[in-house]
């Protein structure tokens, strides 16, 4: 009886508390574009649970009154911005400031408005959620290709690496969740083993900030960054499907995340399968892909000032290599280079992967702990371990094609400890790092390895200092790396012997940046840096067939470290309320510049006939400009354009450098309509790019003259449908809409085949 009375009393008081619930609360705040200095007028704020909301005024401010205490999901949207969803526990009057991400590709000017106090003299560009979702299913390099100053060096249809201001490969640090991707020193045909679906943002950094990521960043750093897990106790996520008609490629990815009682967690899984790509005239035999990836992220906060993150990713891919690039004899090789249609082309589509092919597995485990000593001072520790396994399979006699001709296993361990002080007008960061790499050739291939066994120890120290004063900001950074490398090679002559070599290098980097806001609409930034980079193991000791690029590569053990000095000057201007312009000029001198040079030789081996390339050194000069413009007329129309020019010159031999990007112009016009009830973000885009012929090259510098200029036309249409806290995004994109036949100078397989033709991509994404 007592229990019943107690329950009745509890029910009574509960009912009274419900009747007395405070429904006079106010939610107010501001919506801005990446910065409080750039408010967004007429942004929509919608509370999903009650089906009501409002919009911001001319100053970007909003106020919603008469709200009851409770848990709410807010949807925030603005024309031209990627919408956001925020979970809010409303218990009293609350002020909430919300940052939206602009969709325009001219992202540096957006960064400039709000981050000038943190990125003095920095030159950086960012791809956010909108660009990543629209480009889903593509590899990392293709995603960032539309950023001014960036190009892509390709190996057929499936492998690509970024080129920043004419530099690629070992000079570009590619970071997966803050960790330099181990395995990229093996050559230009190995694409980064990173699933772009794990990223919420991709940044390209060229300046002082890149010093924290490694001592070899002559060209810059590409940061693939997962975002923090939202503090929402409900299960949310997204499922995405992408179909590409060229290669009949299917990509499926799923993301789930939740704030848990024991830890916040996120899991991502991706599946991809594609077959032979197609030029306007023929199939590119054996250019399919199979990919299986998974990533897990855990976050835990202890006592409000100690943060822990655990991250694991597994990347598994199998790639076919264009069959027509592997030729049996020198006579056929001479005929294949520049041939209109490659050898071994078949009339029918196939998903089958045959030899030559590659199989790659990459594991990354990262733990990070950040402890706040005081409100603005922190100590951060990071450990990361990586395992990269690469197998390459050739067309081999005697039913041995299933036996790997190259089998490499690279282990990498990384430690970082840094101290940060963000108090006052100056911010400081001091850090020390240690990296250990060990590469082992697995036995049983029956072929001399392209890359020898080696291990390397790389301790490093670095600092970054920033000062903010009125309209100016200054930034200074320095780094020292010691490289100790032990190498064990097998001799090319008989009898076979193991030879051991030791290398010791002292590398240093220094960079300084200055930023000055000349007026409210004009921001000028300058950065100058010096970097000493030691040669990597593939540049020193490559010896044999580099299967992915169908060529023989020969290292040079006598290579000396490079010394680079580079200046970058960027001006960002708002010429009118709806017109923005940004221009970057850079000039770089590199002493003992290491480059891969085509030799006047084709060589016959037991694995076929291939062109020969060798690593050389010279004194080089690289210079160029990047120009971006954005114009928004009327309410719904938007235009943007970019121009990039790179000039590479061999100062020692007084001739052009090989493999420099061609000049390019690209432009895009888009229309984005107003939301109509539950149908949101309607958008139509038409864009084109013109790539000039690379005329700055001597006829004796390559096996085949650079291809002619070409123009590609692209288009897309898309929109979203929202209901009950869920959103369905749908877009159709057409690349190379005119089915243009062309070859690109930076594709290493342009010797043998055309680029792929028209590709229609259907992109469906459900967020819940």
């Amino acid at each position: 009886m007592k229990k019943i009375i107690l329950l009745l009393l509890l029910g009574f008081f509960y009912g009274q508390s419900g009747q007395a619930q405070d429904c006079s609360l106010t939610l107010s705040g501001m919506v801005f574009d990446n910065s409080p200095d750039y408010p967004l007028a007429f942004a929509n704020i919608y509370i999903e649970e009650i089906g009501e909301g409002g919009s911001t005024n001319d100053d970007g401010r909003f106020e919603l009154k008469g709200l009851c205490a409770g848990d709410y999901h807010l949807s925030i949207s603005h024309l031209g911005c990627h919408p956001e969803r925020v979970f809010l526990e409303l218990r009293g009057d609350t002020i909430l400031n919300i940052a939206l991400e602009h969709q325009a590709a001219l992202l540096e000017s957006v960064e400039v408005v709000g981050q000038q106090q943190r990125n003095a003299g920095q030159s950086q560009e960012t791809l956010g959620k909108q660009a990543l979702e629209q480009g889903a299913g593509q590899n990392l390099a293709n995603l960032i290709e539309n950023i001014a100053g960036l190009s892509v060096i390709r190996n057929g249809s499936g492998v690509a690496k970024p080129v920043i201001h004419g530099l690629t490969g070992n000079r570009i640090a590619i970071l997966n969740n803050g960790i330099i991707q181990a395995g990229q020193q093996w050559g230009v045909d190995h694409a980064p083993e990173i699933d772009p679906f794990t990223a919420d943002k991709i940044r390209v950094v060229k300046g002082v900030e890149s010093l924290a990521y490694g001592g070899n960043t002559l060209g810059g750093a590409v940061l693939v960054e997962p975002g923090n897990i939202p503090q929402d106790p409900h299960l949310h996520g997204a499922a995405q499907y992408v179909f590409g008609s060229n290669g009949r490629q299917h990509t499926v990815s799923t993301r789930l995340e939740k704030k848990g009682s024991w830890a916040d967690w996120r899991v991502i899984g991706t599946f991809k399968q594609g077959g032979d790509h197609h030029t306007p005239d023929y199939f590119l035999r054996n250019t399919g892909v199979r990919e299986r990836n998974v990533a897990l992220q855990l976050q835990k906060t202890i006592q409000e000032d100690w943060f822990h993150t655990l991250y694991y990713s597994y990347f598994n891919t199998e790639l076919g290599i264009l069959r027509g690039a592997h030729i049996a004899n020198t006579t056929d090789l001479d005929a294949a280079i520049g041939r209109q249609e490659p050898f071994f082309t078949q009339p029918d589509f196939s998903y089958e992967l045959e030899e030559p092919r590659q199989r790659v597995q990459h594991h990354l485990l990262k733990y990070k702990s950040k402890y706040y000593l005081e409100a603005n001072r922190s100590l951060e520790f990071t450990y990361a371990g990586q395992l990269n396994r690469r197998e390459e399979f050739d067309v081999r006699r005697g039913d041995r094609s299933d036996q790997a001709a190259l089998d490499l296993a690279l282990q990498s361990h990384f430690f970082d400890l840094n101290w940060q002080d963000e108090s006052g007008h100056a911010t400081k960061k001091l850090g020390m790092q240690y990296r250990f790499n060990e590469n082992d050739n697995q036995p049983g291939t029956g072929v001399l390895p392209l890359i020898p066994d080696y291990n390397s120890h790389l301790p490093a120290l670095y600092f970054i200092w920033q000062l903010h004063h009125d309209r100016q900001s200054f930034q200074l950074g320095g780094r020292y790396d010691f490289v100790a490398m032990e190498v064990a090679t097998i001799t090319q002559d008989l009898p076979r012997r193991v030879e051991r070599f030791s290398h010791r290098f002292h590398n240093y980097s220094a960079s300084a940046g200055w930023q000055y806001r000349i007026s409210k609409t004009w921001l000028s930034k300058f950065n100058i840096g010096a970097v000493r980079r030691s040669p990597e193991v593939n540049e020193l000791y490559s010896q044999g067939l580099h299967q992915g690029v169908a060529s023989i590569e020969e290292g040079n053990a006598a290579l000396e470290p490079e010394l680079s000095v580079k200046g970058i000057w960027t001006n960002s201007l708002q010429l009118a309320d709806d017109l923005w312009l940004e221009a970057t000029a850079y000039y770089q001198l590199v002493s003992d510049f290491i480059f891969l040079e085509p030799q006047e030789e084709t060589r016959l081996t037991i694995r076929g006939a291939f062109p020969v390339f060798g690593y050389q050194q010279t004194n080089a000069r690289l210079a160029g400009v990047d120009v971006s413009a954005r114009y928004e007329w009327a309410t719904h129309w938007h235009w943007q354009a970019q121009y990039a020019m790179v000039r590479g010159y061999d100062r020692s031999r007084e001739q052009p450098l090989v493999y420099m990007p061609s000049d390019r112009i690209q432009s895009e016009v888009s229309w984005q309509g107003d939301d109509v009830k539950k149908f949101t973000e309607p958008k139509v885009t038409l864009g084109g790019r013109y790539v000039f012929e690379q005329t700055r090259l001597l006829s004796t510098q390559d096996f085949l003259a650079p291809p002619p200029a070409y123009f590609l036309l692209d288009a897309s249409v898309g929109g979203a449908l929202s209901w009950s806290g869920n959103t369905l995004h749908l877009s159709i994109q057409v690349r190379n809409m005119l089915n243009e036949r062309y070859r690109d100078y930076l594709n290493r397989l342009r010797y043998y085949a055309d680029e792929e033709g028209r590709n229609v991509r259907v992109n469906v994404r459900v967020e819940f």
Side-chain angles (χ1 to χ4, degrees):
M1 185 66 182
K2 291 181 179 179
K3 290 183 178 180
I4 296 175
I5 295 174
L6 180 60
L7 289 173
L8 289 173
L9 289 172
L10 288 174
F12 172 80
F13 285 115
Y14 179 81
Q16 292 298 312
S17 64
Q19 294 174 6
Q21 184 179 8
D22 185 3
C23 289
S24 62
L25 303 182
T26 299
L27 174 64
S28 60
M30 174 182 284
V31 179
F32 52 90
D33 189 345
N34 288 342
S35 166
D37 296 330
Y38 196 70
L40 291 174
F42 310 113
N44 296 314
I45 299 94
Y46 179 77
I47 303 177
E48 297 174 359
E49 282 75 9
I50 63 175
E52 298 178 3
S55 59
T56 58
N57 60 18
D58 291 340
D59 297 324
R61 300 185 180 278
F62 68 91
E63 186 176 71
L64 304 177
K65 295 182 177 181
L67 300 178
C68 300
D71 296 343
Y72 298 105
H73 290 87
L74 277 63
S75 295
I76 305 97
S77 61
H78 183 269
L79 187 67
C81 291
H82 187 277
E84 290 291 338
R85 195 165 186 256
V86 176
F87 174 75
L88 175 66
E89 296 178 338
L90 189 65
R91 301 293 183 265
D93 292 343
T94 301
I95 298 176
L96 183 66
N97 292 330
I98 304 163
L100 296 184
E101 174 190 285
H102 206 282
Q103 295 176 6
L106 182 61
L107 294 167
E108 173 66 13
S109 62
V110 177
E111 291 270 340
V112 160
V113 176
Q115 297 190 4
Q116 70 268 21
Q117 295 304 311
R118 294 191 289 112
N119 294 317
Q122 287 290 85
S123 179
Q124 70 171 25
E125 295 83 15
T126 304
L127 289 181
K129 290 182 180 179
Q130 181 78 4
L132 295 177
E133 291 169 5
Q134 290 180 347
Q138 302 183 76
N139 58 43
L140 176 64
N142 288 340
L143 281 172
I144 64 177
E145 184 180 12
N146 290 329
I147 293 178
L150 270 73
S151 305
V152 172
I153 187 166
R154 290 186 172 87
N155 168 38
S157 301
V159 177
K161 270 191 173 180
V163 180
I164 302 177
H165 291 170
L167 299 177
T168 187
N170 300 323
R171 302 181 182 92
I172 307 296
I174 299 177
L175 288 93
N176 185 358
N177 196 3
I179 305 300
I180 292 181
Q181 188 78 359
Q184 297 313 300
Q185 65 271 34
W186 288 347
V188 299
D189 76 312
H190 305 315
E193 294 94 1
I194 300 175
D195 180 7
F197 281 99
T198 62
D200 289 320
K201 179 169 59 176
I202 297 177
R203 287 197 298 145
V204 179
V205 178
K206 307 180 287 286
V208 176
E209 185 184 351
S210 63
L211 293 176
Y213 307 124
N216 285 358
T217 55
L218 274 73
V222 178
L223 282 62
V224 182
E225 300 178 328
N228 288 326
I229 300 171
Q231 297 300 288
D232 189 333
H234 306 101
L235 179 66
H236 293 290
Q240 189 159 0
Y241 168 73
V242 183
F243 172 75
S245 65
N246 201 319
R248 305 180 193 178
Q249 181 171 288
H250 304 268
T251 305
V252 178
S253 185
T254 302
R255 170 188 290 221
L256 298 173
E257 57 190 17
K258 182 181 180 181
K259 176 185 178 182
S261 57
W262 55 278
D264 307 335
W265 59 269
R266 171 187 292 153
V267 61
I268 300 171
T270 302
F271 163 88
K272 180 190 294 185
Q273 179 160 328
D276 293 340
H277 290 256
H278 196 279
T279 75
D281 301 315
Y282 52 83
F283 281 106
L284 296 165
R285 178 180 168 187
N286 197 42
T287 52
V289 60
R290 296 170 188 159
E291 197 171 297
R292 314 286 188 271
N293 310 318
V294 66
L296 173 66
Q297 183 173 342
L298 300 175
Q299 293 177 187
K300 181 71 173 178
T301 302
I302 299 176
Q303 298 178 348
E304 297 184 354
D305 55 8
W306 195 2
F307 302 91
H308 302 267
T309 302
L310 184 66
Y311 180 84
Y312 170 76
S313 68
Y314 172 66
F315 184 96
N316 185 325
T317 187
E318 192 168 4
L319 298 164
I321 304 298
L322 179 69
R323 181 66 183 88
H326 284 241
I327 312 300
N329 57 72
T330 55
T331 301
D332 287 346
L333 177 60
D334 292 338
I337 295 178
R339 182 182 169 94
Q340 185 171 347
E341 183 175 310
F343 290 123
F344 308 110
T345 297
Q346 293 182 342
D348 299 321
F349 171 84
S350 174
Y351 279 109
E352 183 179 357
L353 294 181
E354 57 187 20
E355 290 69 32
R357 59 186 172 89
Q358 301 178 349
R359 184 164 61 206
V360 184
Q361 298 178 3
H362 190 97
H363 301 263
L364 166 64
L365 177 66
K366 173 189 175 182
Y367 167 72
K368 183 174 76 171
S369 177
K370 186 170 186 177
Y371 179 71
Y372 279 89
L373 305 169
E374 299 177 16
N376 296 308
R377 293 183 176 88
S378 63
L379 196 63
E380 185 176 280
F381 170 77
T382 301
Y383 164 76
Q386 298 180 72
L387 174 62
N388 188 292
R389 179 76 180 273
R390 171 174 291 274
E391 297 172 280
E392 299 186 352
F393 301 85
D394 267 345
V395 180
R396 307 180 75 175
R397 298 183 181 93
D399 297 325
R400 295 189 302 140
S401 293
D402 288 336
Q403 179 182 349
L406 179 71
D407 192 347
L408 291 166
L410 175 68
Q411 295 184 50
S412 177
H413 299 274
F414 171 77
F415 300 86
D416 177 274
L417 180 64
N418 66 74
W419 171 82
Q420 299 180 62
D421 183 350
E422 300 176 297
S423 58
H425 294 288
T427 63
K428 298 173 282 292
K429 183 175 183 177
L430 301 174
M432 54 183 178
Q433 296 175 346
Y434 171 74
R435 181 177 292 107
F436 171 74
N437 296 324
E438 183 175 28
N439 179 70
D440 293 313
N441 283 276
Q442 305 303 297
T445 64
V447 178
L448 290 179
L450 170 68
I451 302 293
D453 292 349
Y454 74 93
N455 63 63
S456 59
H457 301 265
L458 298 92
L461 299 171
Y462 65 93
F463 77 92
I464 297 175
W465 172 83
Q466 300 177 72
L467 176 65
H468 324 301
H469 177 69
D470 196 17
R471 294 189 297 174
Q472 298 185 75
S473 297
F474 304 91
Q475 194 171 43
L476 182 67
R479 182 183 178 96
Y480 168 76
D481 293 85
F482 175 70
V483 181
M485 184 187 300
E486 306 293 336
V487 182
T489 67
I490 300 176
T491 60
Q492 299 292 312
D493 58 333
L494 296 174
R496 305 294 186 195
R497 306 175 305 281
V498 175
E499 294 185 335
R500 301 185 182 277
F501 301 91
S502 295
H503 297 273
R504 301 291 184 269
F505 299 107
H506 298 272
N507 296 338
Y508 52 82
S509 309
S511 186
W514 171 66
Q515 178 175 283
Y516 181 63
R517 181 166 287 282
I518 299 173
S519 67
K520 187 177 180 180
T521 58
W522 184 1
L523 182 70
S524 186
K525 300 188 295 182
F526 180 75
N527 180 272
I528 187 169
V531 178
R532 188 176 191 264
R533 182 187 82 91
S534 57
E536 296 284 356
V537 67
N538 69 300
E539 297 165 329
L540 292 166
Y541 292 107
S542 288
Q543 194 66 46
L545 174 62
H546 204 163
Q547 181 209 54
V549 289
S551 64
I552 293 173
E553 293 187 0
E554 296 181 338
N556 184 347
L559 293 176
E560 296 292 332
E562 298 174 325
L563 179 59
S564 164
V565 178
K566 181 179 182 180
I568 307 174
W569 184 30
T570 299
N571 285 277
S572 302
L573 301 97
Q574 185 173 353
L575 302 177
D577 290 341
D578 48 13
L579 178 61
W580 293 265
L581 178 68
E582 180 175 286
T584 296
Y586 57 91
Y587 188 87
Q588 185 171 16
L589 295 176
V590 186
S591 299
D592 294 319
F593 179 76
I594 300 171
F595 67 106
L596 192 61
E597 183 178 48
Q599 306 297 298
E600 296 181 3
E601 178 187 359
T602 57
R603 186 177 302 170
L604 180 64
T605 72
I606 60 173
R607 300 169 70 182
F610 303 95
V612 179
F613 293 75
Y615 284 98
Q616 307 291 339
Q617 282 192 297
T618 190
N619 294 321
R621 178 181 70 234
L622 295 95
V625 295
D626 308 322
V627 180
S628 302
R630 185 174 84 241
Y631 178 50
E632 297 176 357
W633 75 94
T635 304
H636 304 286
W637 290 93
H638 166 263
W639 168 83
Q640 63 186 36
Q642 298 171 338
Y643 170 71
M645 178 192 75
V646 181
R647 295 291 182 267
Y649 189 70
D650 185 332
R651 295 185 293 141
S652 299
R653 292 185 282 187
E654 299 184 344
Q655 63 183 28
L657 287 174
V658 295
Y659 301 124
M660 289 292 110
S662 305
D663 295 357
R664 62 178 55 208
I665 296 176
Q666 55 193 56
S667 182
E668 179 181 282
V669 176
S670 62
W671 173 87
Q672 182 165 343
D674 292 324
D675 298 347
V676 180
K677 295 184 178 179
K678 295 183 178 181
F679 182 69
T680 62
E681 307 173 47
K683 187 174 183 180
V684 180
T685 301
L686 182 66
R689 82 178 56 180
Y690 184 82
V691 178
F692 292 80
E693 180 179 351
Q694 178 56 277
T695 58
R696 293 162 298 281
L697 202 67
L698 304 180
S699 60
T700 57
Q701 286 186 274
D702 207 343
F703 295 101
L704 184 67
Y710 63 87
F711 172 76
L712 301 181
L713 189 65
D714 303 331
S716 67
V717 58
L721 183 65
S722 300
W723 76 98
S724 303
N726 305 309
T727 305
L728 171 66
H729 298 268
L730 175 64
S731 67
I732 300 175
Q733 306 157 17
V734 185
R735 181 178 171 87
N736 192 5
M737 189 163 57
L738 302 179
N739 207 26
E740 184 76 14
R741 179 184 173 188
Y742 70 103
R743 299 192 183 192
D744 189 271
Y745 173 65
L746 288 186
N747 193 330
R748 288 289 297 271
L749 295 188
R750 69 177 176 87
Y751 300 130
Y752 310 103
D754 295 337
E755 300 285 340
E756 65 180 53
R758 183 185 298 114
N759 187 19
V760 180
R761 301 176 71 250
V762 179
N763 191 336
V764 182
R765 178 181 175 89
V766 179
E767 298 175 352
F768 53 90

